[in-house]
PDB file of all heavy atoms in Angstrom:
ATOM      1  N   ALA A   1       0.829  -1.167  -0.030  1.00 80.00           N
ATOM      2  CA  ALA A   1       0.027   0.000  -0.008  1.00 80.00           C
ATOM      3  C   ALA A   1       0.838   1.223  -0.004  1.00 80.00           C
ATOM      4  O   ALA A   1       0.666   2.196  -0.815  1.00 80.00           O
ATOM      5  CB  ALA A   1      -0.958   0.015   1.230  1.00 80.00           C
ATOM      6  N   PHE A   2       1.744   1.331   0.956  1.00 76.00           N
ATOM      7  CA  PHE A   2       2.565   2.562   0.977  1.00 76.00           C
ATOM      8  C   PHE A   2       3.732   2.593  -0.024  1.00 76.00           C
ATOM      9  O   PHE A   2       4.288   3.650  -0.328  1.00 76.00           O
ATOM     10  CB  PHE A   2       2.987   2.995   2.418  1.00 76.00           C
ATOM     11  CG  PHE A   2       3.854   2.110   3.129  1.00 76.00           C
ATOM     12  CD1 PHE A   2       5.175   1.863   2.787  1.00 76.00           C
ATOM     13  CD2 PHE A   2       3.295   1.458   4.208  1.00 76.00           C
ATOM     14  CE1 PHE A   2       5.939   1.051   3.481  1.00 76.00           C
ATOM     15  CE2 PHE A   2       4.144   0.547   4.963  1.00 76.00           C
ATOM     16  CZ  PHE A   2       5.475   0.418   4.606  1.00 76.00           C
ATOM     17  N   SER A   3       4.125   1.386  -0.422  1.00 83.00           N
ATOM     18  CA  SER A   3       5.186   1.377  -1.536  1.00 83.00           C
ATOM     19  C   SER A   3       4.666   1.958  -2.754  1.00 83.00           C
ATOM     20  O   SER A   3       5.465   2.604  -3.487  1.00 83.00           O
ATOM     21  CB  SER A   3       5.574  -0.140  -1.782  1.00 83.00           C
ATOM     22  OG  SER A   3       6.141  -0.717  -0.651  1.00 83.00           O
ATOM     23  N   THR A   4       3.437   1.835  -3.086  1.00 80.00           N
ATOM     24  CA  THR A   4       2.848   2.355  -4.342  1.00 80.00           C
ATOM     25  C   THR A   4       2.929   3.882  -4.380  1.00 80.00           C
ATOM     26  O   THR A   4       3.197   4.455  -5.403  1.00 80.00           O
ATOM     27  CB  THR A   4       1.374   1.845  -4.518  1.00 80.00           C
ATOM     28  OG1 THR A   4       1.363   0.443  -4.445  1.00 80.00           O
ATOM     29  CG2 THR A   4       0.775   2.437  -5.809  1.00 80.00           C
ATOM     30  N   VAL A   5       2.698   4.483  -3.204  1.00 77.00           N
ATOM     31  CA  VAL A   5       2.772   5.971  -3.022  1.00 77.00           C
ATOM     32  C   VAL A   5       4.251   6.342  -3.215  1.00 77.00           C
ATOM     33  O   VAL A   5       4.533   7.348  -3.853  1.00 77.00           O
ATOM     34  CB  VAL A   5       2.252   6.419  -1.761  1.00 77.00           C
ATOM     35  CG1 VAL A   5       2.339   7.923  -1.590  1.00 77.00           C
ATOM     36  CG2 VAL A   5       0.721   6.043  -1.585  1.00 77.00           C
ATOM     37  N   PHE A   6       5.138   5.669  -2.599  1.00 78.00           N
ATOM     38  CA  PHE A   6       6.579   5.943  -2.769  1.00 78.00           C
ATOM     39  C   PHE A   6       6.948   5.931  -4.243  1.00 78.00           C
ATOM     40  O   PHE A   6       7.613   6.836  -4.645  1.00 78.00           O
ATOM     41  CB  PHE A   6       7.400   4.825  -2.054  1.00 78.00           C
ATOM     42  CG  PHE A   6       7.739   5.184  -0.594  1.00 78.00           C
ATOM     43  CD1 PHE A   6       7.419   4.262   0.397  1.00 78.00           C
ATOM     44  CD2 PHE A   6       8.422   6.369  -0.329  1.00 78.00           C
ATOM     45  CE1 PHE A   6       7.743   4.530   1.704  1.00 78.00           C
ATOM     46  CE2 PHE A   6       8.783   6.651   0.952  1.00 78.00           C
ATOM     47  CZ  PHE A   6       8.506   5.734   2.027  1.00 78.00           C
ATOM     48  N   ALA A   7       6.574   4.843  -4.955  1.00 81.00           N
ATOM     49  CA  ALA A   7       6.905   4.657  -6.333  1.00 81.00           C
ATOM     50  C   ALA A   7       6.329   5.858  -7.216  1.00 81.00           C
ATOM     51  O   ALA A   7       7.040   6.446  -8.033  1.00 81.00           O
ATOM     52  CB  ALA A   7       6.428   3.368  -6.926  1.00 81.00           C
ATOM     53  N   LYS A   8       5.189   6.247  -6.961  1.00 77.00           N
ATOM     54  CA  LYS A   8       4.540   7.322  -7.711  1.00 77.00           C
ATOM     55  C   LYS A   8       5.250   8.619  -7.558  1.00 77.00           C
ATOM     56  O   LYS A   8       5.559   9.370  -8.536  1.00 77.00           O
ATOM     57  CB  LYS A   8       3.055   7.490  -7.263  1.00 77.00           C
ATOM     58  CG  LYS A   8       2.296   8.513  -7.990  1.00 77.00           C
ATOM     59  CD  LYS A   8       0.864   8.605  -7.440  1.00 77.00           C
ATOM     60  CE  LYS A   8       0.041   9.641  -8.130  1.00 77.00           C
ATOM     61  NZ  LYS A   8      -1.311   9.845  -7.628  1.00 77.00           N
ATOM     62  N   LEU A   9       5.713   8.883  -6.297  1.00 74.00           N
ATOM     63  CA  LEU A   9       6.455  10.152  -6.101  1.00 74.00           C
ATOM     64  C   LEU A   9       7.840  10.094  -6.624  1.00 74.00           C
ATOM     65  O   LEU A   9       8.358  11.111  -7.189  1.00 74.00           O
ATOM     66  CB  LEU A   9       6.512  10.387  -4.541  1.00 74.00           C
ATOM     67  CG  LEU A   9       5.168  10.813  -3.885  1.00 74.00           C
ATOM     68  CD1 LEU A   9       5.257  10.629  -2.380  1.00 74.00           C
ATOM     69  CD2 LEU A   9       4.818  12.195  -4.262  1.00 74.00           C
ATOM     70  N   ILE A  10       8.468   8.945  -6.440  1.00 77.00           N
ATOM     71  CA  ILE A  10       9.843   8.818  -7.060  1.00 77.00           C
ATOM     72  C   ILE A  10       9.885   9.017  -8.543  1.00 77.00           C
ATOM     73  O   ILE A  10      10.717   9.609  -9.126  1.00 77.00           O
ATOM     74  CB  ILE A  10      10.491   7.511  -6.586  1.00 77.00           C
ATOM     75  CG1 ILE A  10      10.803   7.530  -5.079  1.00 77.00           C
ATOM     76  CG2 ILE A  10      11.804   7.248  -7.307  1.00 77.00           C
ATOM     77  CD1 ILE A  10      11.054   6.187  -4.482  1.00 77.00           C
ATOM     78  N   ASP A  11       8.941   8.311  -9.201  1.00 76.00           N
ATOM     79  CA  ASP A  11       8.844   8.394 -10.630  1.00 76.00           C
ATOM     80  C   ASP A  11       8.531   9.708 -11.204  1.00 76.00           C
ATOM     81  O   ASP A  11       8.749  10.046 -12.389  1.00 76.00           O
ATOM     82  CB  ASP A  11       7.803   7.385 -11.191  1.00 76.00           C
ATOM     83  CG  ASP A  11       8.288   6.022 -11.133  1.00 76.00           C
ATOM     84  OD1 ASP A  11       9.476   5.769 -11.019  1.00 76.00           O
ATOM     85  OD2 ASP A  11       7.442   5.058 -11.257  1.00 76.00           O
ATOM     86  N   TYR A  12       7.996  10.601 -10.328  1.00 68.00           N
ATOM     87  CA  TYR A  12       7.718  11.993 -10.757  1.00 68.00           C
ATOM     88  C   TYR A  12       9.007  12.751 -11.068  1.00 68.00           C
ATOM     89  O   TYR A  12       9.038  13.648 -11.922  1.00 68.00           O
ATOM     90  CB  TYR A  12       7.013  12.881  -9.676  1.00 68.00           C
ATOM     91  CG  TYR A  12       6.872  14.253  -9.980  1.00 68.00           C
ATOM     92  CD1 TYR A  12       6.132  14.771 -11.005  1.00 68.00           C
ATOM     93  CD2 TYR A  12       7.782  15.185  -9.305  1.00 68.00           C
ATOM     94  CE1 TYR A  12       6.066  16.157 -11.296  1.00 68.00           C
ATOM     95  CE2 TYR A  12       7.734  16.528  -9.621  1.00 68.00           C
ATOM     96  CZ  TYR A  12       6.901  16.985 -10.627  1.00 68.00           C
ATOM     97  OH  TYR A  12       6.901  18.327 -10.963  1.00 68.00           O
ATOM     98  N   LYS A  13      10.123  12.360 -10.484  1.00 61.00           N
ATOM     99  CA  LYS A  13      11.371  12.981 -10.681  1.00 61.00           C
ATOM    100  C   LYS A  13      11.737  13.109 -12.206  1.00 61.00           C
ATOM    101  O   LYS A  13      12.346  14.110 -12.594  1.00 61.00           O
ATOM    102  CB  LYS A  13      12.483  12.206  -9.894  1.00 61.00           C
ATOM    103  CG  LYS A  13      13.956  12.711 -10.145  1.00 61.00           C
ATOM    104  CD  LYS A  13      14.175  13.930  -9.423  1.00 61.00           C
ATOM    105  CE  LYS A  13      15.610  14.351  -9.493  1.00 61.00           C
ATOM    106  NZ  LYS A  13      16.015  15.504  -8.828  1.00 61.00           N
ATOM    107  N   SER A  14      11.430  12.074 -12.828  1.00 58.00           N
ATOM    108  CA  SER A  14      11.851  12.060 -14.293  1.00 58.00           C
ATOM    109  C   SER A  14      10.678  11.649 -15.196  1.00 58.00           C
ATOM    110  O   SER A  14      10.177  10.561 -15.052  1.00 58.00           O
ATOM    111  CB  SER A  14      13.002  11.051 -14.528  1.00 58.00           C
ATOM    112  OG  SER A  14      13.301  11.020 -15.942  1.00 58.00           O
ATOM    113  N   GLY A  15      10.293  12.603 -16.081  1.00 54.00           N
ATOM    114  CA  GLY A  15       9.211  12.272 -17.169  1.00 54.00           C
ATOM    115  C   GLY A  15       9.690  11.221 -18.053  1.00 54.00           C
ATOM    116  O   GLY A  15       8.927  10.539 -18.669  1.00 54.00           O
ATOM    117  N   PHE A  16      11.046  11.074 -18.276  1.00 50.00           N
ATOM    118  CA  PHE A  16      11.489  10.086 -19.127  1.00 50.00           C
ATOM    119  C   PHE A  16      11.374   8.708 -18.720  1.00 50.00           C
ATOM    120  O   PHE A  16      11.069   7.838 -19.517  1.00 50.00           O
ATOM    121  CB  PHE A  16      13.068  10.390 -19.380  1.00 50.00           C
ATOM    122  CG  PHE A  16      13.389  11.527 -20.272  1.00 50.00           C
ATOM    123  CD1 PHE A  16      14.656  11.923 -20.525  1.00 50.00           C
ATOM    124  CD2 PHE A  16      12.381  12.357 -20.787  1.00 50.00           C
ATOM    125  CE1 PHE A  16      15.016  12.988 -21.307  1.00 50.00           C
ATOM    126  CE2 PHE A  16      12.595  13.483 -21.565  1.00 50.00           C
ATOM    127  CZ  PHE A  16      13.975  13.755 -21.808  1.00 50.00           C
ATOM    128  N   THR A  17      11.451   8.474 -17.494  1.00 53.00           N
ATOM    129  CA  THR A  17      11.311   7.066 -16.992  1.00 53.00           C
ATOM    130  C   THR A  17       9.949   6.780 -16.520  1.00 53.00           C
ATOM    131  O   THR A  17       9.646   5.623 -16.158  1.00 53.00           O
ATOM    132  CB  THR A  17      12.341   6.863 -15.755  1.00 53.00           C
ATOM    133  OG1 THR A  17      12.157   7.894 -14.788  1.00 53.00           O
ATOM    134  CG2 THR A  17      13.755   6.939 -16.232  1.00 53.00           C
ATOM    135  N   GLY A  18       9.060   7.775 -16.581  1.00 58.00           N
ATOM    136  CA  GLY A  18       7.624   7.555 -16.364  1.00 58.00           C
ATOM    137  C   GLY A  18       7.265   6.724 -15.049  1.00 58.00           C
ATOM    138  O   GLY A  18       7.326   7.170 -13.975  1.00 58.00           O
ATOM    139  N   ARG A  19       6.896   5.437 -15.380  1.00 81.00           N
ATOM    140  CA  ARG A  19       6.452   4.521 -14.266  1.00 81.00           C
ATOM    141  C   ARG A  19       7.516   3.478 -13.939  1.00 81.00           C
ATOM    142  O   ARG A  19       7.173   2.375 -13.590  1.00 81.00           O
ATOM    143  CB  ARG A  19       5.120   3.816 -14.744  1.00 81.00           C
ATOM    144  CG  ARG A  19       3.981   4.893 -14.783  1.00 81.00           C
ATOM    145  CD  ARG A  19       2.757   4.256 -15.517  1.00 81.00           C
ATOM    146  NE  ARG A  19       2.423   2.933 -15.005  1.00 81.00           N
ATOM    147  CZ  ARG A  19       1.643   2.658 -13.918  1.00 81.00           C
ATOM    148  NH1 ARG A  19       1.163   3.601 -13.236  1.00 81.00           N
ATOM    149  NH2 ARG A  19       1.330   1.466 -13.539  1.00 81.00           N
ATOM    150  N   HIS A  20       8.762   3.822 -14.152  1.00 87.00           N
ATOM    151  CA  HIS A  20       9.843   2.860 -14.038  1.00 87.00           C
ATOM    152  C   HIS A  20       9.806   2.119 -12.668  1.00 87.00           C
ATOM    153  O   HIS A  20       9.858   0.909 -12.529  1.00 87.00           O
ATOM    154  CB  HIS A  20      11.172   3.451 -14.205  1.00 87.00           C
ATOM    155  CG  HIS A  20      12.429   2.552 -14.162  1.00 87.00           C
ATOM    156  ND1 HIS A  20      12.617   1.619 -15.079  1.00 87.00           N
ATOM    157  CD2 HIS A  20      13.259   2.479 -13.146  1.00 87.00           C
ATOM    158  CE1 HIS A  20      13.770   0.953 -14.655  1.00 87.00           C
ATOM    159  NE2 HIS A  20      14.073   1.355 -13.473  1.00 87.00           N
ATOM    160  N   SER A  21       9.779   2.853 -11.587  1.00 89.00           N
ATOM    161  CA  SER A  21       9.877   2.277 -10.243  1.00 89.00           C
ATOM    162  C   SER A  21       8.621   1.471  -9.984  1.00 89.00           C
ATOM    163  O   SER A  21       8.692   0.329  -9.398  1.00 89.00           O
ATOM    164  CB  SER A  21       9.999   3.434  -9.173  1.00 89.00           C
ATOM    165  OG  SER A  21      11.117   4.117  -9.358  1.00 89.00           O
ATOM    166  N   HIS A  22       7.470   1.887 -10.425  1.00 89.00           N
ATOM    167  CA  HIS A  22       6.224   1.168 -10.261  1.00 89.00           C
ATOM    168  C   HIS A  22       6.251  -0.155 -10.954  1.00 89.00           C
ATOM    169  O   HIS A  22       5.838  -1.165 -10.474  1.00 89.00           O
ATOM    170  CB  HIS A  22       5.066   2.051 -10.664  1.00 89.00           C
ATOM    171  CG  HIS A  22       3.700   1.463 -10.343  1.00 89.00           C
ATOM    172  ND1 HIS A  22       3.317   1.312  -8.960  1.00 89.00           N
ATOM    173  CD2 HIS A  22       2.666   1.024 -11.095  1.00 89.00           C
ATOM    174  CE1 HIS A  22       2.089   0.820  -8.973  1.00 89.00           C
ATOM    175  NE2 HIS A  22       1.730   0.522 -10.273  1.00 89.00           N
ATOM    176  N   GLU A  23       6.794  -0.107 -12.159  1.00 92.00           N
ATOM    177  CA  GLU A  23       6.879  -1.321 -12.998  1.00 92.00           C
ATOM    178  C   GLU A  23       7.838  -2.320 -12.448  1.00 92.00           C
ATOM    179  O   GLU A  23       7.655  -3.467 -12.421  1.00 92.00           O
ATOM    180  CB  GLU A  23       7.233  -0.995 -14.483  1.00 92.00           C
ATOM    181  CG  GLU A  23       6.121  -0.263 -15.249  1.00 92.00           C
ATOM    182  CD  GLU A  23       4.921  -1.231 -15.432  1.00 92.00           C
ATOM    183  OE1 GLU A  23       5.083  -2.423 -15.502  1.00 92.00           O
ATOM    184  OE2 GLU A  23       3.801  -0.687 -15.396  1.00 92.00           O
ATOM    185  N   ILE A  24       9.056  -1.763 -11.966  1.00 95.00           N
ATOM    186  CA  ILE A  24      10.006  -2.733 -11.316  1.00 95.00           C
ATOM    187  C   ILE A  24       9.353  -3.323 -10.109  1.00 95.00           C
ATOM    188  O   ILE A  24       9.577  -4.570  -9.874  1.00 95.00           O
ATOM    189  CB  ILE A  24      11.264  -1.848 -10.880  1.00 95.00           C
ATOM    190  CG1 ILE A  24      12.036  -1.465 -12.170  1.00 95.00           C
ATOM    191  CG2 ILE A  24      12.144  -2.792  -9.998  1.00 95.00           C
ATOM    192  CD1 ILE A  24      12.747  -2.516 -12.869  1.00 95.00           C
ATOM    193  N   ALA A  25       8.632  -2.589  -9.347  1.00 94.00           N
ATOM    194  CA  ALA A  25       7.890  -3.134  -8.111  1.00 94.00           C
ATOM    195  C   ALA A  25       7.006  -4.292  -8.554  1.00 94.00           C
ATOM    196  O   ALA A  25       7.007  -5.319  -7.859  1.00 94.00           O
ATOM    197  CB  ALA A  25       7.223  -1.965  -7.373  1.00 94.00           C
ATOM    198  N   LYS A  26       6.169  -3.981  -9.505  1.00 94.00           N
ATOM    199  CA  LYS A  26       5.255  -5.051  -9.910  1.00 94.00           C
ATOM    200  C   LYS A  26       5.882  -6.336 -10.480  1.00 94.00           C
ATOM    201  O   LYS A  26       5.562  -7.317 -10.149  1.00 94.00           O
ATOM    202  CB  LYS A  26       4.292  -4.470 -10.977  1.00 94.00           C
ATOM    203  CG  LYS A  26       3.327  -3.458 -10.463  1.00 94.00           C
ATOM    204  CD  LYS A  26       2.161  -3.113 -11.406  1.00 94.00           C
ATOM    205  CE  LYS A  26       2.666  -2.554 -12.813  1.00 94.00           C
ATOM    206  NZ  LYS A  26       1.619  -2.278 -13.676  1.00 94.00           N
ATOM    207  N   LYS A  27       6.975  -5.997 -11.275  1.00 96.00           N
ATOM    208  CA  LYS A  27       7.606  -7.251 -11.887  1.00 96.00           C
ATOM    209  C   LYS A  27       8.436  -8.002 -10.816  1.00 96.00           C
ATOM    210  O   LYS A  27       8.505  -9.245 -10.880  1.00 96.00           O
ATOM    211  CB  LYS A  27       8.607  -6.719 -12.944  1.00 96.00           C
ATOM    212  CG  LYS A  27       7.912  -6.371 -14.280  1.00 96.00           C
ATOM    213  CD  LYS A  27       8.839  -5.900 -15.353  1.00 96.00           C
ATOM    214  CE  LYS A  27       8.207  -5.802 -16.679  1.00 96.00           C
ATOM    215  NZ  LYS A  27       7.202  -4.782 -16.737  1.00 96.00           N
ATOM    216  N   ALA A  28       8.994  -7.272  -9.801  1.00 97.00           N
ATOM    217  CA  ALA A  28       9.671  -7.983  -8.680  1.00 97.00           C
ATOM    218  C   ALA A  28       8.729  -8.908  -7.880  1.00 97.00           C
ATOM    219  O   ALA A  28       9.025 -10.000  -7.602  1.00 97.00           O
ATOM    220  CB  ALA A  28      10.358  -6.933  -7.801  1.00 97.00           C
ATOM    221  N   ALA A  29       7.565  -8.310  -7.568  1.00 96.00           N
ATOM    222  CA  ALA A  29       6.525  -9.156  -6.897  1.00 96.00           C
ATOM    223  C   ALA A  29       6.037 -10.360  -7.732  1.00 96.00           C
ATOM    224  O   ALA A  29       5.861 -11.432  -7.236  1.00 96.00           O
ATOM    225  CB  ALA A  29       5.358  -8.256  -6.446  1.00 96.00           C
ATOM    226  N   PHE A  30       5.944 -10.060  -8.962  1.00 95.00           N
ATOM    227  CA  PHE A  30       5.452 -11.200  -9.914  1.00 95.00           C
ATOM    228  C   PHE A  30       6.497 -12.346  -9.924  1.00 95.00           C
ATOM    229  O   PHE A  30       6.168 -13.498  -9.934  1.00 95.00           O
ATOM    230  CB  PHE A  30       5.262 -10.595 -11.312  1.00 95.00           C
ATOM    231  CG  PHE A  30       4.672 -11.620 -12.313  1.00 95.00           C
ATOM    232  CD1 PHE A  30       3.289 -11.941 -12.280  1.00 95.00           C
ATOM    233  CD2 PHE A  30       5.505 -12.305 -13.158  1.00 95.00           C
ATOM    234  CE1 PHE A  30       2.795 -12.903 -13.184  1.00 95.00           C
ATOM    235  CE2 PHE A  30       4.954 -13.321 -14.044  1.00 95.00           C
ATOM    236  CZ  PHE A  30       3.565 -13.582 -14.061  1.00 95.00           C
ATOM    237  N   MET A  31       7.769 -11.917  -9.998  1.00 97.00           N
ATOM    238  CA  MET A  31       8.861 -12.953  -9.922  1.00 97.00           C
ATOM    239  C   MET A  31       8.807 -13.623  -8.625  1.00 97.00           C
ATOM    240  O   MET A  31       9.161 -14.896  -8.604  1.00 97.00           O
ATOM    241  CB  MET A  31      10.139 -12.251 -10.186  1.00 97.00           C
ATOM    242  CG  MET A  31      10.453 -11.717 -11.599  1.00 97.00           C
ATOM    243  SD  MET A  31      10.158 -13.060 -12.904  1.00 97.00           S
ATOM    244  CE  MET A  31      11.523 -14.111 -12.495  1.00 97.00           C
ATOM    245  N   GLY A  32       8.493 -12.919  -7.558  1.00 97.00           N
ATOM    246  CA  GLY A  32       8.342 -13.612  -6.303  1.00 97.00           C
ATOM    247  C   GLY A  32       7.283 -14.702  -6.285  1.00 97.00           C
ATOM    248  O   GLY A  32       7.530 -15.788  -5.808  1.00 97.00           O
ATOM    249  N   ARG A  33       6.183 -14.418  -6.984  1.00 95.00           N
ATOM    250  CA  ARG A  33       5.214 -15.385  -7.077  1.00 95.00           C
ATOM    251  C   ARG A  33       5.621 -16.532  -8.072  1.00 95.00           C
ATOM    252  O   ARG A  33       5.268 -17.718  -7.854  1.00 95.00           O
ATOM    253  CB  ARG A  33       3.845 -14.806  -7.671  1.00 95.00           C
ATOM    254  CG  ARG A  33       3.191 -13.885  -6.696  1.00 95.00           C
ATOM    255  CD  ARG A  33       1.804 -13.411  -7.099  1.00 95.00           C
ATOM    256  NE  ARG A  33       1.840 -12.480  -8.254  1.00 95.00           N
ATOM    257  CZ  ARG A  33       2.004 -11.166  -8.199  1.00 95.00           C
ATOM    258  NH1 ARG A  33       2.249 -10.698  -6.912  1.00 95.00           N
ATOM    259  NH2 ARG A  33       2.078 -10.381  -9.143  1.00 95.00           N
ATOM    260  N   PHE A  34       6.352 -16.124  -9.100  1.00 95.00           N
ATOM    261  CA  PHE A  34       6.927 -17.149 -10.026  1.00 95.00           C
ATOM    262  C   PHE A  34       7.810 -18.226  -9.322  1.00 95.00           C
ATOM    263  O   PHE A  34       7.719 -19.402  -9.648  1.00 95.00           O
ATOM    264  CB  PHE A  34       7.737 -16.437 -11.071  1.00 95.00           C
ATOM    265  CG  PHE A  34       8.420 -17.322 -12.086  1.00 95.00           C
ATOM    266  CD1 PHE A  34       7.798 -17.756 -13.272  1.00 95.00           C
ATOM    267  CD2 PHE A  34       9.742 -17.641 -11.911  1.00 95.00           C
ATOM    268  CE1 PHE A  34       8.414 -18.590 -14.201  1.00 95.00           C
ATOM    269  CE2 PHE A  34      10.379 -18.483 -12.818  1.00 95.00           C
ATOM    270  CZ  PHE A  34       9.754 -19.032 -13.980  1.00 95.00           C
ATOM    271  N   TYR A  35       8.589 -17.699  -8.351  1.00 97.00           N
ATOM    272  CA  TYR A  35       9.458 -18.644  -7.631  1.00 97.00           C
ATOM    273  C   TYR A  35       8.763 -19.207  -6.438  1.00 97.00           C
ATOM    274  O   TYR A  35       9.414 -20.060  -5.747  1.00 97.00           O
ATOM    275  CB  TYR A  35      10.615 -17.788  -7.042  1.00 97.00           C
ATOM    276  CG  TYR A  35      11.603 -17.294  -8.208  1.00 97.00           C
ATOM    277  CD1 TYR A  35      11.926 -15.933  -8.316  1.00 97.00           C
ATOM    278  CD2 TYR A  35      12.240 -18.302  -8.977  1.00 97.00           C
ATOM    279  CE1 TYR A  35      12.813 -15.565  -9.324  1.00 97.00           C
ATOM    280  CE2 TYR A  35      13.072 -17.802  -9.977  1.00 97.00           C
ATOM    281  CZ  TYR A  35      13.422 -16.530 -10.105  1.00 97.00           C
ATOM    282  OH  TYR A  35      14.332 -16.101 -11.115  1.00 97.00           O
ATOM    283  N   GLY A  36       7.512 -18.906  -6.175  1.00 97.00           N
ATOM    284  CA  GLY A  36       6.895 -19.548  -5.033  1.00 97.00           C
ATOM    285  C   GLY A  36       7.161 -19.011  -3.688  1.00 97.00           C
ATOM    286  O   GLY A  36       6.987 -19.636  -2.583  1.00 97.00           O
ATOM    287  N   PHE A  37       7.686 -17.716  -3.681  1.00 97.00           N
ATOM    288  CA  PHE A  37       7.947 -17.062  -2.389  1.00 97.00           C
ATOM    289  C   PHE A  37       6.715 -16.808  -1.637  1.00 97.00           C
ATOM    290  O   PHE A  37       5.608 -16.606  -2.261  1.00 97.00           O
ATOM    291  CB  PHE A  37       8.734 -15.744  -2.559  1.00 97.00           C
ATOM    292  CG  PHE A  37      10.073 -15.906  -3.225  1.00 97.00           C
ATOM    293  CD1 PHE A  37      10.734 -14.845  -3.825  1.00 97.00           C
ATOM    294  CD2 PHE A  37      10.762 -17.119  -3.286  1.00 97.00           C
ATOM    295  CE1 PHE A  37      12.001 -14.863  -4.334  1.00 97.00           C
ATOM    296  CE2 PHE A  37      12.024 -17.242  -3.871  1.00 97.00           C
ATOM    297  CZ  PHE A  37      12.651 -16.139  -4.409  1.00 97.00           C
ATOM    298  N   ASP A  38       6.794 -16.736  -0.320  1.00 97.00           N
ATOM    299  CA  ASP A  38       5.549 -16.374   0.435  1.00 97.00           C
ATOM    300  C   ASP A  38       5.197 -14.886   0.247  1.00 97.00           C
ATOM    301  O   ASP A  38       5.983 -14.157  -0.347  1.00 97.00           O
ATOM    302  CB  ASP A  38       5.717 -16.719   1.900  1.00 97.00           C
ATOM    303  CG  ASP A  38       6.874 -15.904   2.636  1.00 97.00           C
ATOM    304  OD1 ASP A  38       7.169 -14.753   2.181  1.00 97.00           O
ATOM    305  OD2 ASP A  38       7.490 -16.388   3.554  1.00 97.00           O
ATOM    306  N   LYS A  39       4.056 -14.574   0.791  1.00 95.00           N
ATOM    307  CA  LYS A  39       3.475 -13.192   0.451  1.00 95.00           C
ATOM    308  C   LYS A  39       4.377 -12.177   0.983  1.00 95.00           C
ATOM    309  O   LYS A  39       4.475 -10.960   0.485  1.00 95.00           O
ATOM    310  CB  LYS A  39       2.017 -13.098   0.999  1.00 95.00           C
ATOM    311  CG  LYS A  39       1.011 -13.902   0.121  1.00 95.00           C
ATOM    312  CD  LYS A  39      -0.298 -13.627   0.582  1.00 95.00           C
ATOM    313  CE  LYS A  39      -1.374 -14.356  -0.259  1.00 95.00           C
ATOM    314  NZ  LYS A  39      -2.807 -14.116   0.187  1.00 95.00           N
ATOM    315  N   GLU A  40       4.989 -12.397   2.188  1.00 95.00           N
ATOM    316  CA  GLU A  40       5.834 -11.306   2.735  1.00 95.00           C
ATOM    317  C   GLU A  40       7.099 -11.053   1.889  1.00 95.00           C
ATOM    318  O   GLU A  40       7.426  -9.924   1.629  1.00 95.00           O
ATOM    319  CB  GLU A  40       6.266 -11.764   4.202  1.00 95.00           C
ATOM    320  CG  GLU A  40       7.147 -10.672   4.835  1.00 95.00           C
ATOM    321  CD  GLU A  40       7.467 -10.882   6.246  1.00 95.00           C
ATOM    322  OE1 GLU A  40       6.567 -11.328   7.048  1.00 95.00           O
ATOM    323  OE2 GLU A  40       8.669 -10.828   6.611  1.00 95.00           O
ATOM    324  N   GLU A  41       7.713 -12.157   1.348  1.00 96.00           N
ATOM    325  CA  GLU A  41       8.836 -12.028   0.544  1.00 96.00           C
ATOM    326  C   GLU A  41       8.407 -11.280  -0.749  1.00 96.00           C
ATOM    327  O   GLU A  41       9.153 -10.384  -1.284  1.00 96.00           O
ATOM    328  CB  GLU A  41       9.402 -13.380   0.192  1.00 96.00           C
ATOM    329  CG  GLU A  41      10.745 -13.315  -0.533  1.00 96.00           C
ATOM    330  CD  GLU A  41      11.917 -13.197   0.486  1.00 96.00           C
ATOM    331  OE1 GLU A  41      11.769 -12.863   1.697  1.00 96.00           O
ATOM    332  OE2 GLU A  41      13.059 -13.372  -0.017  1.00 96.00           O
TER     333      GLU A  41
END
């Protein structure tokens, strides 16, 4: 919940990278599911 707000604010720094932090966050969590990590990981 609060990571999403962090990502939105950080990505504001650069219009060129747009939603980079948000996309990395989503992809990292997806890879966690891919590997069978628990929800906390």
Side-chain angles (χ1 to χ4, degrees):
F2 60 73
S3 298
T4 301
V5 180
F6 270 124
K8 182 179 180 183
L9 289 165
I10 292 168
D11 283 343
Y12 170 73
K13 173 75 174 183
S14 174
F16 285 179
T17 54
R19 289 167 52 85
H20 179 75
S21 298
H22 191 64
E23 287 298 326
I24 292 287
K26 290 193 300 181
K27 284 181 170 63
F30 185 80
M31 290 304 296
R33 291 190 288 278
F34 175 86
Y35 289 123
F37 295 164
D38 62 30
K39 287 187 176 181
E40 180 172 316
E41 190 86 346

